[in-house]
Amino acid sequence: MSDDLFTIHPIGTVYSPVLSRTDENWGSIEAEIHVKPDFAPALQGLEDFSHAIILTWLHQATFDLQRDLIRHPRGRKDLPKVGIFAQRAKNRPNPIGVSVVEILNCDTNILRVKRLDAIHGTPVIDIKPYYATYDRIESPVAPLWVNDVMTDYF
């Protein structure tokens, strides 16, 4: 494994009513992304999209090689043990969160969104518009346990 390092600078911060980590009920959550003033002009045109992809740094996540490399999703023994790269768990080697959100409003440096699964204070590392022709996959395949683990997530 390479020891190369690089730096990621946050472009904004999540302002959310959710204050602690949770794995349920993100579907109705409305949050704001406060974009740093230097990056506020980069929001121009985003209001014309219905959805965006938000990349976050899951600042409260932890990763322990022994505990998290291979595990039961959500610690549920009724689900198969799988590697972290076969899961969307927050505790990963690089705690990057990815969310597809509905855009509610875009004003100056504040992006209001719905379904962002990130807690208050989470650093935002990028915002990308959702392109249906690029981001949507027709007939994706996933193991059955994924439906189980996602029950009540949204």
Side-chain angles (χ1 to χ4, degrees):
M1 179 150 82
S2 172
D3 288 325
D4 294 339
L5 298 177
F6 55 91
T7 304
I8 294 177
H9 297 281
I11 55 104
T13 305
V14 172
Y15 284 72
S16 172
V18 181
L19 304 178
S20 59
R21 299 186 305 176
T22 183
D23 285 331
E24 295 180 344
N25 302 316
W26 289 103
S28 63
I29 300 297
E30 294 185 12
E32 294 180 344
I33 297 170
H34 290 220
V35 175
K36 290 182 177 183
D38 288 350
F39 296 110
L43 290 172
Q44 184 175 336
L46 191 61
E47 71 278 359
D48 296 331
F49 290 85
S50 65
H51 292 79
I53 300 169
I54 310 300
L55 295 137
T56 55
W57 189 262
L58 305 175
H59 65 297
Q60 290 187 3
T62 60
F63 180 75
D64 177 273
L65 194 65
Q66 297 300 318
R67 180 191 68 207
D68 298 318
L69 190 64
I70 299 173
R71 54 169 237 164
H72 297 280
R74 290 198 191 175
R76 289 181 42 185
K77 302 283 187 203
D78 62 317
L79 300 176
K81 249 186 177 180
V82 295
I84 191 63
F85 298 145
Q87 302 178 48
R88 296 287 296 261
K90 60 188 153 288
N91 296 328
R92 34 194 336 104
N94 289 306
I96 297 171
V98 178
S99 299
V100 176
V101 300
E102 178 183 352
I103 296 172
L104 301 175
N105 188 22
C106 189
D107 184 34
T108 313
N109 73 316
I110 298 175
L111 177 63
R112 268 190 58 241
V113 299
K114 189 173 182 179
R115 296 175 55 103
L116 176 62
D117 59 341
I119 65 174
H120 184 78
T122 300
V124 176
I125 56 177
D126 205 356
I127 300 169
K128 297 175 182 277
Y130 180 87
Y131 289 6
T133 54
Y134 183 77
D135 297 314
R136 184 184 62 228
I137 303 298
E138 298 296 330
S139 304
V141 175
L144 291 176
W145 64 262
V146 171
N147 293 333
D148 243 5
V149 81
M150 293 307 295
T151 300
D152 298 325
Y153 195 83
F154 287 106

